[in-house]
Amino acid sequence: MGTGAADRSRGARWWLPWLGLCFWAAGAEAARGADSGEVLPDSIPSAPGTLPHFIEEPEDAYIIKSNPIALRCKARPAMQIFFKCNGEWVHQNEHVSEESLDESSGLKVREVFINVTRQQVEDFHGPEDYWCQCVAWSHLGTSKSRKASVRIAYLRKNFEQDPQGREVPIEGMIVLHCRPPEGVPAAEVEWLKNEEPIDSEQDENIDTRADHNLIIRQARLSDSGNYTCMAANIVAKRRSLSATVVVYVDGSWEVWSEWSVCSPECEHLRIRECTAPPPRNGGKFCEGLSQESENCTDGLCILDKKPLHEIKPQSIENASDIALYSGLGAAVVAVAVLVIGVTLYRRSHSDYGVDVIDSSALTGNSLLLNPAMHPDLTVSRTYSGPICLQDPLDKELMTESSLFNPLSDIKVKVQSSFMVSLGVSERAEYHGKNHSGTFPHGNNRGFSTIHPRNKTPYIQNLSSLPTRTELRTTGVFGHLGGRLVMPNTGVSLLIPHGAIPEENSWEIYMSINQGEPSLQSDGSEVLLSPEVTCGPPDMLVTTPFALTIPHCADVSSEHWNIHLKKRTQQGKWEEVMSVEDESTSCYCLLDPFACHVLLDSFGTYALTGEPITDCAVKQLKVAVFGCMSCNSLDYNLRVYCVDNTPCAFQEVVSDERHQGGQLLEEPKLLHFKGNTFSLQISVLDIPPFLWRIKPFTACQEVPFSRVWSSNRQPLHCAFSLERYTPTTTQLSCKICIRQLKGHEQILQVQTSILESERETITFFAQEDSTFPAQTGPKAFKIPYSIRQRICATFDTPNAKGKDWQMLAQKNSINRNLSYFATQSSPSAVILNLWEARHQQDGDLDSLACALEEIGRTHTKLSNITEPQLDDTDFNYSRQNGL
């Protein structure tokens, strides 16, 4: 067979069927042997009854820089072996083959090599990686080897996440995150401490296996140092930025020493030192006293070397006389000052010479309504803004209405011109003008006297208002899980599928404390959420449940340090974690209006916040309610400023229902800064000749502390408006709520005072009030079968990093990933968190988009049909966005 024939046969082999290709290969081999003068010996058998068996198959390979890689395979018995790459045959000229004889079996062995270049891999664009496989022929047929992928190796320079330095207390947990640069093959991570490798196999306290993170379970002083994350693959090595870890020790007091010998001054001492342990590495110094002293004589003190009982009585009598005369003198002075003060006060009060008036004037004398309430004479406040005035003649009028609850600690005014003249004022930044006694009295002549018997029923009505201690809901849940919702409060509980063992069921309850908070704030710490209890406390779950608690903080790690706290069985509150901390026992995800907590034990939980700067902001909900007064011409406005949580506002709505109040304007949000400035509430733009407000009561001012720590009864201010004629039925005005040197909100009141003509304003959306307890598949937005597929896909580690960590990142979960690493199915816990965050919207399209961005799926979940679901479940899913 000539060269031309061989060329024609090579050109034709690309379209020959498999059988023809086998015969062509044998002919071409013989032709090449004839042309070169090398003829295969006839003694090599072809074993016509045996299919080729691969002794060596091509392995996955990486191209480093521009160096080509060699793929090889070896088979017996084999007449020919060719490579096929990406579904196309590799040209014969690119093969290098060797042939030998297996001495043990006497069969022909053929080995073939090809080279793959970087350019070939870069030019290939397909749904898979570049791949090659071998096809071997014998007389009986063909055999195929495994597919070997060929990829270009690289390692990017920048780490996706560098470890961050931390200061932790001794025995605290240290978690250093490291996400190595993207690379092929995936980089392996090694940790260095002070440039020395860390061997976690030799130290059980250190774990470096959790997704490249370094976890030190209990910090020791020796763990302080500089930590570096090293990433390396076959291409290069990369170093992260070093993170400095400081393990500090707070100082503690030794035990008190024994009392010293009694001194001549009749005292003995004891001391203790801050050495058990001493503060180290910047830890806090010991708190409290280092020295104590007390009297040590029990009446036997020696004075001038004589026992006390032997001292002459004369000296005792002299001392008693001095004390007696001093006391009498002080009493005389006090009585004189009191008489003068009362006289001047009455004189100035009758001339309206009052610069500051307590807002309790709106509700009558709060001390009369509550004898146990005592005035705070030590409060010192400064004001920089307009001072609110109020006519003292209207106090008795305001006590008529049972709808005005006394707020004795709201100080609209705190000092009089008489106090200023005595030099005992508050160093106020703003001093009001001294008004002359020329205020008109005509408008108030009809209200100057009220018979005392009229006051009694209204005081009784105030005390008879119903008080609630808690809201509560229950539901029975089993292995399929479900969701428990407290309607219109923002509080919910998600029990995942499988959290309760099979064939078990529990009655689970959830309640909100509406009484006096049991969590008493320390220092600058404030309560940011309701106290939520879920139980029963002895119930055990196999996977974390999700508790959603609303909060009123304007979330910012720069201005707030927010903590999750839990009440112990003894009634004390203990910190579970800071929301910015790393923990493997629970997880907190802080959204703008709620905190979603993953927990494994039931109990009572709450959120507290410690403002870091004056820019820390609490979100307040402001609303105005109105109702007719006992006097047919009067109309009462009540303006509320409460924490922006649904449960706080629900308490206001419930109170107003009992009092006959109606919401006059949609509630609005007010940002209240922690800058110590007070809150001012004013009524503006009252229609002249139709309505009038009692003189000097159009503005009230609430101290900062009363607003900032408003954890008790809802804060409100009351205003009374009077119609000139009974024919006036429409009311329009503005309510201005503003913080001095802060933000403000305007509530526009436009209403009819007649209930039949008034437009109803909806308080709450009703989507979560119909079914407080939902059980089984209908409680979840993601169908169970789809959820199982997602977990199976993302729980498996992937060389490209497309695993559960990427799923968390695409769902805005970027911190404390070590918590998920400790779970049996990290993806399932992430999806539970998604369910808790999206219980209202059920935005499955956003989840589908996140999956598409990762590259694991190209079909939206809303278009996936579920044959595993029965018709009822499928119809329910369609109604919920699937």
Side-chain angles (χ1 to χ4, degrees):
M1 186 162 138
T3 304
D7 291 340
R8 285 193 301 272
S9 65
R10 282 197 299 269
R13 71 178 175 87
W14 301 108
W15 53 267
L16 287 175
W18 285 94
L19 185 59
L21 184 58
C22 295
F23 290 111
W24 167 85
E29 183 70 14
R32 286 195 303 274
D35 291 342
S36 61
E38 297 178 359
V39 181
L40 293 176
D42 295 334
S43 59
I44 300 179
S46 60
T50 305
L51 282 173
H53 171 71
F54 283 98
I55 303 172
E56 182 177 349
E57 297 185 80
E59 299 290 338
D60 295 340
Y62 297 94
I63 295 178
I64 301 174
K65 297 182 179 180
S66 298
N67 301 321
I69 56 96
L71 297 179
R72 67 170 63 193
C73 62
K74 182 188 296 186
R76 69 179 179 200
M79 298 172 55
Q80 273 295 350
I81 300 177
F82 285 102
F83 272 91
K84 192 177 188 179
C85 294
N86 305 315
E88 296 183 359
W89 294 104
V90 177
H91 198 276
Q92 180 181 359
N93 294 341
E94 298 177 13
H95 291 72
V96 177
S97 63
E98 296 179 357
E99 190 175 289
S100 61
L101 183 66
D102 186 354
E103 296 181 355
S104 60
S105 63
L107 298 177
K108 184 188 298 184
V109 178
R110 184 172 293 274
E111 185 174 7
V112 177
F113 305 84
I114 64 168
N115 287 331
V116 179
T117 65
R118 183 186 185 100
Q119 189 65 41
Q120 288 175 305
V121 177
E122 289 179 342
D123 291 343
F124 172 69
H125 302 285
E128 302 177 279
D129 291 330
Y130 190 100
W131 61 270
C132 296
Q133 71 176 158
C134 290
V135 181
W137 283 266
S138 70
H139 286 292
L140 187 61
T142 62
S143 297
K144 295 181 181 180
S145 71
R146 65 178 295 273
K147 289 182 179 180
S149 63
V150 181
R151 304 174 67 188
I152 298 175
Y154 68 93
L155 184 62
R156 301 195 186 281
K157 292 184 179 180
N158 296 326
F159 278 71
E160 294 185 4
Q161 182 177 9
D162 287 292
Q164 302 294 319
R166 298 195 60 192
E167 294 183 359
V168 295
I170 193 166
E171 296 186 355
M173 176 180 284
I174 301 174
V175 179
L176 297 180
H177 294 287
C178 175
R179 295 184 65 186
E182 181 183 351
V184 174
E188 295 184 356
V189 169
E190 180 184 29
W191 283 91
L192 305 179
K193 176 191 174 187
N194 299 331
E195 302 303 322
E196 294 293 330
I198 297 176
D199 188 359
S200 60
E201 299 293 333
Q202 298 182 359
D203 191 342
E204 296 181 351
N205 193 40
I206 297 178
D207 184 4
T208 58
R209 298 168 297 173
D211 305 304
H212 311 308
N213 300 328
L214 173 67
I215 300 176
I216 301 178
R217 297 182 178 88
Q218 289 187 320
R220 304 155 295 195
L221 288 175
S222 60
D223 292 322
S224 299
N226 295 320
Y227 289 81
T228 308
C229 181
M230 293 286 296
N233 66 0
I234 59 176
V235 178
K237 287 186 177 181
R238 305 283 187 242
R239 289 173 58 97
S240 72
L241 298 176
S242 293
T244 300
V245 173
V246 177
V247 180
Y248 62 86
V249 179
D250 290 332
S252 179
W253 293 97
E254 291 183 334
V255 179
W256 285 106
S257 67
E258 298 292 334
W259 289 104
S260 67
V261 179
C262 198
S263 70
E265 289 78 19
C266 308
E267 290 184 340
H268 60 180
L269 304 174
R270 65 175 183 174
I271 61 172
R272 57 182 179 179
E273 296 181 353
C274 188
T275 57
R280 299 182 64 178
N281 294 348
K284 295 180 181 178
F285 196 77
C286 300
E287 297 180 355
L289 299 175
S290 60
Q291 178 177 303
E292 277 187 349
S293 64
E294 67 177 19
N295 188 279
C296 57
T297 63
D298 293 330
L300 300 177
C301 181
I302 296 177
L303 184 62
D304 293 332
K305 298 185 179 180
K306 293 184 179 180
L308 187 62
H309 62 273
E310 294 181 4
I311 299 177
K312 294 182 178 180
Q314 182 64 33
S315 59
I316 299 177
E317 293 176 2
N318 292 340
S320 301
D321 292 341
I322 294 174
L324 176 62
Y325 294 140
S326 299
L328 290 176
V332 171
V333 173
V335 171
V337 171
L338 179 62
V339 172
I340 296 173
V342 170
T343 303
L344 294 178
Y345 176 78
R346 288 181 176 178
R347 182 178 303 171
S348 61
H349 196 60
S350 63
D351 293 335
Y352 297 90
V354 177
D355 295 327
V356 183
I357 297 176
D358 194 320
S359 68
S360 61
L362 291 175
T363 60
N365 191 332
S366 59
L367 296 179
L368 292 177
L369 296 178
N370 188 354
M373 193 178 299
H374 302 287
D376 188 356
L377 302 179
T378 62
V379 175
S380 176
R381 301 294 302 168
T382 59
Y383 296 90
S384 58
I387 298 296
C388 305
L389 300 176
Q390 173 178 323
D391 189 352
L393 295 181
D394 293 323
K395 287 186 178 180
E396 291 187 344
L397 171 68
M398 297 306 171
T399 58
E400 286 192 13
S401 175
S402 65
L403 303 179
F404 299 147
N405 297 327
L407 295 175
S408 61
D409 53 351
I410 301 181
K411 305 293 183 182
V412 180
K413 309 242 174 173
V414 294
Q415 62 187 37
S416 67
S417 57
F418 165 65
M419 296 172 66
V420 174
S421 66
L422 292 179
V424 293
S425 66
E426 297 184 284
R427 302 180 183 175
E429 297 177 8
Y430 176 89
H431 296 279
K433 298 179 180 179
N434 290 327
H435 298 275
S436 63
T438 59
F439 294 133
H441 293 263
N443 292 339
N444 300 314
R445 61 181 181 272
F447 309 108
S448 57
T449 58
I450 295 180
H451 198 278
R453 65 181 177 84
N454 294 334
K455 294 183 180 181
T456 303
Y458 299 113
I459 297 176
Q460 292 175 348
N461 288 343
L462 278 171
S463 61
S464 65
L465 289 177
T467 57
R468 301 171 308 281
T469 57
E470 68 174 22
L471 291 173
R472 185 182 177 94
T473 186
T474 61
V476 178
F477 298 88
H479 182 70
L480 296 180
R483 192 189 304 266
L484 188 62
V485 177
M486 189 80 72
N488 299 325
T489 64
V491 177
S492 64
L493 183 67
L494 182 79
I495 308 296
H497 183 283
I500 301 176
E502 291 190 58
E503 300 180 358
N504 286 357
S505 63
W506 287 84
E507 182 180 18
I508 297 177
Y509 64 85
M510 189 167 57
S511 64
I512 300 176
N513 177 24
Q514 287 196 305
E516 187 73 17
S518 61
L519 198 164
Q520 302 300 324
S521 303
D522 297 330
S524 60
E525 193 176 48
V526 294
L527 186 63
L528 297 176
S529 76
E531 297 175 2
V532 179
T533 301
C534 52
D538 57 343
M539 176 181 169
L540 299 178
V541 292
T542 59
T543 189
F545 61 89
L547 177 64
T548 298
I549 305 176
H551 67 82
C552 61
D554 188 20
V555 179
S556 172
S557 59
E558 298 178 359
H559 306 309
W560 281 106
N561 188 7
I562 299 178
H563 307 271
L564 176 68
K565 291 195 172 183
K566 181 181 181 180
R567 189 171 63 193
T568 63
Q569 294 181 350
Q570 292 74 27
K572 296 182 179 180
W573 286 86
E574 294 181 348
E575 180 174 331
V576 179
M577 68 175 294
S578 170
V579 296
E580 296 297 326
D581 284 348
E582 303 286 343
S583 173
T584 57
S585 60
C586 67
Y587 187 90
C588 290
L589 181 61
L590 203 62
D591 279 345
F593 299 103
C595 183
H596 310 283
V597 189
L598 296 176
L599 300 161
D600 55 11
S601 63
F602 291 92
T604 301
Y605 295 90
L607 292 174
T608 63
E610 184 178 359
I612 302 174
T613 69
D614 288 347
C615 295
V617 169
K618 277 185 66 176
Q619 300 182 57
L620 303 181
K621 180 168 288 186
V622 295
V624 57
F625 289 78
C627 69
M628 293 293 293
S629 177
C630 307
N631 186 330
S632 60
L633 294 178
D634 288 357
Y635 192 76
N636 299 320
L637 297 178
R638 288 183 293 278
V639 181
Y640 289 85
C641 301
V642 297
D643 291 346
N644 184 38
T645 58
C647 48
F649 189 63
Q650 188 187 42
E651 184 176 356
V652 171
V653 171
S654 179
D655 287 343
E656 284 295 327
R657 283 173 179 160
H658 285 95
Q659 301 183 44
Q662 293 290 330
L663 185 65
L664 304 182
E665 165 70 327
E666 185 176 350
K668 294 186 177 180
L669 202 62
L670 176 69
H671 289 83
F672 191 78
K673 289 185 177 180
N675 57 10
T676 72
F677 286 96
S678 56
L679 187 71
Q680 195 177 75
I681 304 175
S682 309
V683 180
L684 308 173
D685 297 346
I686 299 174
F689 310 114
L690 296 177
W691 292 89
R692 64 182 175 186
I693 193 170
K694 299 301 184 290
F696 318 115
T697 62
C699 176
Q700 298 185 47
E701 194 165 294
V702 186
F704 168 82
S705 59
R706 179 68 175 91
V707 183
W708 190 250
S709 302
S710 58
N711 303 327
R712 298 164 293 174
Q713 60 181 1
L715 170 64
H716 79 273
C717 292
F719 301 88
S720 181
L721 281 69
E722 181 185 8
R723 293 179 289 173
Y724 282 94
T725 65
T727 58
T728 301
T729 60
Q730 298 295 320
L731 172 62
S732 64
C733 63
K734 293 180 180 178
I735 309 292
C736 177
I737 304 104
R738 74 182 186 96
Q739 183 183 20
L740 301 181
K741 296 189 178 180
H743 299 274
E744 76 171 18
Q745 272 290 8
I746 299 292
L747 297 176
Q748 182 69 54
V749 176
Q750 185 74 42
T751 185
S752 171
I753 64 174
L754 300 180
E755 187 172 353
S756 59
E757 300 177 1
R758 186 184 299 118
E759 180 182 356
T760 302
I761 299 176
T762 304
F763 304 141
F764 299 105
Q766 298 298 321
E767 66 272 3
D768 64 347
S769 60
T770 307
F771 305 104
Q774 298 178 354
T775 59
K778 296 182 180 180
F780 303 97
K781 307 299 180 183
I782 307 174
Y784 182 69
S785 57
I786 295 179
R787 175 191 177 93
Q788 291 296 93
R789 280 186 249 170
I790 295 175
C791 294
T793 301
F794 288 98
D795 281 344
T796 305
N798 184 275
K800 296 182 179 180
K802 296 178 181 178
D803 52 16
W804 66 264
Q805 293 191 74
M806 186 68 72
L807 178 66
Q809 181 184 357
K810 293 300 181 181
N811 284 278
S812 302
I813 303 173
N814 300 314
R815 46 166 296 279
N816 198 13
L817 296 183
S818 56
Y819 172 83
F820 300 98
T822 60
Q823 305 297 323
S824 58
S825 174
S827 302
V829 180
I830 293 171
L831 294 179
N832 292 340
L833 198 55
W834 184 93
E835 290 274 4
R837 298 179 75 183
H838 296 274
Q839 61 174 312
Q840 298 296 340
D841 53 47
D843 190 5
L844 286 164
D845 281 343
S846 66
L847 179 59
C849 289
L851 296 176
E852 289 181 5
E853 288 181 13
I854 298 174
R856 289 300 185 89
T857 179
H858 300 279
T859 306
K860 288 189 176 182
L861 290 181
S862 56
N863 295 327
I864 297 179
T865 59
E866 290 300 317
Q868 295 87 341
L869 297 175
D870 57 28
D871 292 340
T872 303
D873 290 340
F874 178 72
N875 292 333
Y876 179 83
S877 301
R878 291 287 300 272
Q879 295 171 6
N880 286 271
L882 284 174

